[in-house]
Amino acid sequence: MATKKKKVEFVCTECGGTTIKWAGRCPHCGEWNTLKEFVVESGSASRFGTDKHVRQGLVSASEVLDLGEVQAQEVPRIITGFDEFDRVMGGGLVPGGVALIGGDPGIGKSTLLLQVMFKLVRSGVKALYVSGEESAGQIAMRAKRLGVEPNGLRLMSEIQLEKIEAAMLAENPQFVVIDSIQTLFSDGLDSAPGSVTQVRECSARLTRIAKTAGITLIFVGHVTKDGALAGPRVLEHIVDTVLYFEGDTHSNFRLIRAFKNRFGAVNELGVFAMTDRGLRGVSNPSAIFLSEHKGNVPGSVVMVTQEGTRPLLVEIQALVDMTHLPSPKRLSVGLDQQRLSMLLAVLHRHAGLACFDQDVFVNAVGGVKITEPAADLAVLLAIQSSMRNRALSEGLVVFGEVGLAGEIRPAPRGQERLKEAAKLGFAKAIIPRANAPKQPIEGLEVIAVDRLTDALAAAFD
Ligand code: TYD
Ligand code: MG
């Protein structure tokens, strides 16, 4: 009997990168011990078209066309009516669109999707919820807690891929949620549920059904730290939209950020509050990341960050304290750690403030993650304020990138940031020269600066 030739490749559980040879360290992201074997059956080509296309979840093979002959159709979107969710999805759900929602366990993924499904069911959309984590009874309990009318939602507690595929074909739904992709397994593979092999195979096959049948499909993926389960990153290149939950579980606020979206803007942010009856959208979130202390304290600065299409005011805190260690600590929460070291070097070189004998901690209040460099100026002002133990002037707001030469560089959408700050009652803004508004903004004194030294001087007058 001829044995089937087995082709294998190695997939990184951290970044999803592939190599043909095993290595101790992933050549793509540099993580150690993350490469797992993935069997690519050579026989599968006949079943599902070419194997590579199937795994990437591409549409069914068809003839070669001239792009000019193809009608560019505006896809009609399914509006869920959950505004914050529609916003991160790029304005609603797209038929045939496949999304991944990642996040830590317990952050609210299942709750959110159940709420979305009930909204859709009420507007006449056929929805199927596949849960591999909870029994039907548990889901009913959750629905009761959410206070929704449970009729009409199709439900399946199942982890076997083949049964889910059959149900998807039989039920003919418009919207399917798989909660979570790591619990599924296919009979055709020997590896355990949650392994890279299973996660990739299951997601690719379901994606293919969704694409051909025009079903909107959402995968829930748990972010895992230990690497025993394949993380959601393995799927990022297969799906159209990648959303991640952010925010710390100690606060009620939950953020959902779009990291990738073939149908809308990236970095779009949805803001929710977890209540005793599920998640509620926060439609005007600009001030929720300001801490509650009254009056200004040393080490605290408010910045305006622009998340997707809207500005947010976030408090940046710093604590600079004498170190007892030979190499002082640099710790940042919600901000880039590498960038902090760089900013400290700029502060030393261009403003003459040395931190080599100081521990430096910085924090973005409220569990929000700020990735844009426009946070630089706020970080440095907070650090300087803490070092000098002097509070910055009342009602001050800042933004701006700090360059290695000590120059202050502009941030995108400066006007919108300034307007939002003025709307919330801030009276003074220190911003990059290039962002200076042409017309004065009512109630806001704008100080446009070119260099870090100017900004520091203006903040402490
Ligand atoms: P869940 O959606 O189960 O998280 P995930 O699917 O991401 O693992 O979220 C569960 C948490 O949310 C749990 O700690 C309880 C809390 N919760 C509320 O506070 N209010 C509610 O109405 C619901 C349903 C859950
Ligand atoms: Mg869940």
mmCIF file of all heavy atoms in Angstrom, residues 82-92 261 265 268-271 283 309-310:
data_model
loop_
_atom_site.group_PDB
_atom_site.id
_atom_site.type_symbol
_atom_site.label_atom_id
_atom_site.label_comp_id
_atom_site.label_asym_id
_atom_site.label_seq_id
_atom_site.Cartn_x
_atom_site.Cartn_y
_atom_site.Cartn_z
ATOM 1 N N PHE A 82 -25.672 48.084 17.889
ATOM 2 C CA PHE A 82 -24.815 48.250 19.059
ATOM 3 C C PHE A 82 -23.716 49.201 18.562
ATOM 4 O O PHE A 82 -22.733 48.764 17.971
ATOM 5 C CB PHE A 82 -24.242 46.880 19.430
ATOM 6 C CG PHE A 82 -23.901 46.714 20.872
ATOM 7 C CD1 PHE A 82 -23.671 45.433 21.377
ATOM 8 C CD2 PHE A 82 -23.815 47.785 21.733
ATOM 9 C CE1 PHE A 82 -23.360 45.243 22.702
ATOM 10 C CE2 PHE A 82 -23.496 47.612 23.057
ATOM 11 C CZ PHE A 82 -23.273 46.332 23.539
ATOM 12 N N ASP A 83 -23.923 50.509 18.764
ATOM 13 C CA ASP A 83 -23.128 51.510 18.053
ATOM 14 C C ASP A 83 -21.617 51.349 18.205
ATOM 15 O O ASP A 83 -20.877 51.437 17.243
ATOM 16 C CB ASP A 83 -23.517 52.918 18.506
ATOM 17 C CG ASP A 83 -24.917 53.261 18.050
ATOM 18 O OD1 ASP A 83 -25.432 52.529 17.173
ATOM 19 O OD2 ASP A 83 -25.500 54.222 18.566
ATOM 20 N N GLU A 84 -21.187 51.101 19.444
ATOM 21 C CA GLU A 84 -19.749 51.004 19.670
ATOM 22 C C GLU A 84 -19.165 49.796 18.945
ATOM 23 O O GLU A 84 -18.033 49.819 18.486
ATOM 24 C CB GLU A 84 -19.438 50.910 21.163
ATOM 25 C CG GLU A 84 -19.743 52.165 21.933
ATOM 26 C CD GLU A 84 -18.876 53.339 21.501
ATOM 27 O OE1 GLU A 84 -17.650 53.220 21.583
ATOM 28 O OE2 GLU A 84 -19.426 54.359 21.077
ATOM 29 N N PHE A 85 -19.955 48.731 18.866
ATOM 30 C CA PHE A 85 -19.493 47.534 18.176
ATOM 31 C C PHE A 85 -19.467 47.768 16.668
ATOM 32 O O PHE A 85 -18.500 47.425 15.991
ATOM 33 C CB PHE A 85 -20.397 46.345 18.530
ATOM 34 C CG PHE A 85 -19.959 45.057 17.916
ATOM 35 C CD1 PHE A 85 -18.851 44.385 18.392
ATOM 36 C CD2 PHE A 85 -20.655 44.504 16.846
ATOM 37 C CE1 PHE A 85 -18.429 43.195 17.811
ATOM 38 C CE2 PHE A 85 -20.240 43.317 16.271
ATOM 39 C CZ PHE A 85 -19.128 42.665 16.753
ATOM 40 N N ASP A 86 -20.526 48.398 16.140
ATOM 41 C CA ASP A 86 -20.560 48.712 14.710
ATOM 42 C C ASP A 86 -19.376 49.586 14.321
ATOM 43 O O ASP A 86 -18.782 49.423 13.271
ATOM 44 C CB ASP A 86 -21.862 49.441 14.352
ATOM 45 C CG ASP A 86 -23.052 48.497 14.344
ATOM 46 O OD1 ASP A 86 -22.830 47.281 14.175
ATOM 47 O OD2 ASP A 86 -24.188 48.967 14.510
ATOM 48 N N ARG A 87 -19.030 50.508 15.211
ATOM 49 C CA ARG A 87 -17.913 51.411 14.943
ATOM 50 C C ARG A 87 -16.592 50.648 14.756
ATOM 51 O O ARG A 87 -15.906 50.843 13.768
ATOM 52 C CB ARG A 87 -17.765 52.394 16.101
ATOM 53 C CG ARG A 87 -16.544 53.279 16.008
ATOM 54 C CD ARG A 87 -16.213 53.841 17.373
ATOM 55 N NE ARG A 87 -17.240 54.738 17.846
ATOM 56 C CZ ARG A 87 -17.331 56.014 17.482
ATOM 57 N NH1 ARG A 87 -16.460 56.516 16.661
ATOM 58 N NH2 ARG A 87 -18.287 56.764 17.941
ATOM 59 N N VAL A 88 -16.271 49.748 15.676
ATOM 60 C CA VAL A 88 -15.007 49.018 15.518
ATOM 61 C C VAL A 88 -15.033 48.056 14.349
ATOM 62 O O VAL A 88 -14.000 47.750 13.768
ATOM 63 C CB VAL A 88 -14.540 48.219 16.761
ATOM 64 C CG1 VAL A 88 -13.767 49.078 17.701
ATOM 65 C CG2 VAL A 88 -15.647 47.501 17.446
ATOM 66 N N MET A 89 -16.216 47.571 13.999
ATOM 67 C CA MET A 89 -16.298 46.662 12.856
ATOM 68 C C MET A 89 -16.235 47.437 11.544
ATOM 69 O O MET A 89 -16.331 46.843 10.477
ATOM 70 C CB MET A 89 -17.598 45.854 12.904
ATOM 71 C CG MET A 89 -17.652 44.811 14.003
ATOM 72 S SD MET A 89 -16.441 43.477 13.853
ATOM 73 C CE MET A 89 -17.070 42.565 12.464
ATOM 74 N N GLY A 90 -16.102 48.737 11.600
ATOM 75 C CA GLY A 90 -15.997 49.544 10.387
ATOM 76 C C GLY A 90 -17.350 49.926 9.838
ATOM 77 O O GLY A 90 -17.494 50.124 8.635
ATOM 78 N N GLY A 91 -18.373 49.982 10.703
ATOM 79 C CA GLY A 91 -19.697 50.438 10.263
ATOM 80 C C GLY A 91 -20.698 49.322 10.062
ATOM 81 O O GLY A 91 -21.617 49.458 9.275
ATOM 82 N N GLY A 92 -20.508 48.220 10.767
ATOM 83 C CA GLY A 92 -21.466 47.114 10.676
ATOM 84 C C GLY A 92 -20.793 45.853 10.163
ATOM 85 O O GLY A 92 -19.611 45.841 9.850
ATOM 86 N N ASN A 261 -8.443 45.644 9.651
ATOM 87 C CA ASN A 261 -9.811 45.633 9.151
ATOM 88 C C ASN A 261 -9.811 45.849 7.657
ATOM 89 O O ASN A 261 -9.462 46.916 7.181
ATOM 90 C CB ASN A 261 -10.657 46.697 9.854
ATOM 91 C CG ASN A 261 -12.136 46.427 9.690
ATOM 92 O OD1 ASN A 261 -12.514 45.606 8.857
ATOM 93 N ND2 ASN A 261 -12.957 47.092 10.456
ATOM 94 N N ALA A 265 -11.570 51.318 9.159
ATOM 95 C CA ALA A 265 -10.355 51.923 9.694
ATOM 96 C C ALA A 265 -9.745 51.041 10.778
ATOM 97 O O ALA A 265 -10.463 50.396 11.534
ATOM 98 C CB ALA A 265 -10.688 53.288 10.283
ATOM 99 N N GLU A 268 -9.481 51.825 15.279
ATOM 100 C CA GLU A 268 -10.772 52.318 15.720
ATOM 101 C C GLU A 268 -11.034 51.706 17.104
ATOM 102 O O GLU A 268 -10.643 50.577 17.383
ATOM 103 C CB GLU A 268 -11.833 51.866 14.712
ATOM 104 C CG GLU A 268 -13.140 52.569 14.821
ATOM 105 C CD GLU A 268 -13.032 54.070 14.645
ATOM 106 O OE1 GLU A 268 -13.121 54.553 13.523
ATOM 107 O OE2 GLU A 268 -12.855 54.741 15.669
ATOM 108 N N LEU A 269 -11.659 52.500 17.946
ATOM 109 C CA LEU A 269 -11.822 52.055 19.319
ATOM 110 C C LEU A 269 -13.292 52.052 19.710
ATOM 111 O O LEU A 269 -14.002 53.004 19.416
ATOM 112 C CB LEU A 269 -11.060 53.031 20.206
ATOM 113 C CG LEU A 269 -10.679 52.593 21.594
ATOM 114 C CD1 LEU A 269 -9.624 51.517 21.525
ATOM 115 C CD2 LEU A 269 -10.130 53.783 22.351
ATOM 116 N N GLY A 270 -13.739 50.973 20.316
ATOM 117 C CA GLY A 270 -15.090 50.941 20.879
ATOM 118 C C GLY A 270 -14.950 50.952 22.390
ATOM 119 O O GLY A 270 -14.107 50.239 22.932
ATOM 120 N N VAL A 271 -15.735 51.737 23.057
ATOM 121 C CA VAL A 271 -15.612 51.826 24.517
ATOM 122 C C VAL A 271 -16.891 51.310 25.160
ATOM 123 O O VAL A 271 -17.991 51.707 24.784
ATOM 124 C CB VAL A 271 -15.337 53.267 24.967
ATOM 125 C CG1 VAL A 271 -15.108 53.333 26.456
ATOM 126 C CG2 VAL A 271 -14.143 53.838 24.219
ATOM 127 N N SER A 283 -20.829 56.222 24.703
ATOM 128 C CA SER A 283 -20.763 56.959 23.443
ATOM 129 C C SER A 283 -19.896 58.204 23.547
ATOM 130 O O SER A 283 -19.394 58.700 22.558
ATOM 131 C CB SER A 283 -22.161 57.327 22.970
ATOM 132 O OG SER A 283 -22.839 57.975 24.005
ATOM 133 N N THR A 309 -11.039 57.340 14.920
ATOM 134 C CA THR A 309 -11.615 58.601 14.469
ATOM 135 C C THR A 309 -11.987 59.523 15.616
ATOM 136 O O THR A 309 -12.660 60.505 15.412
ATOM 137 C CB THR A 309 -12.872 58.332 13.635
ATOM 138 O OG1 THR A 309 -13.741 57.517 14.424
ATOM 139 C CG2 THR A 309 -12.542 57.638 12.347
ATOM 140 N N ARG A 310 -11.611 59.193 16.845
ATOM 141 C CA ARG A 310 -11.995 60.134 17.885
ATOM 142 C C ARG A 310 -10.913 60.379 18.932
ATOM 143 O O ARG A 310 -10.133 59.502 19.251
ATOM 144 C CB ARG A 310 -13.273 59.679 18.558
ATOM 145 C CG ARG A 310 -13.123 58.393 19.302
ATOM 146 C CD ARG A 310 -14.416 58.140 19.993
ATOM 147 N NE ARG A 310 -14.563 56.753 20.326
ATOM 148 C CZ ARG A 310 -15.705 56.236 20.694
ATOM 149 N NH1 ARG A 310 -16.778 56.949 20.737
ATOM 150 N NH2 ARG A 310 -15.762 54.974 21.010
#
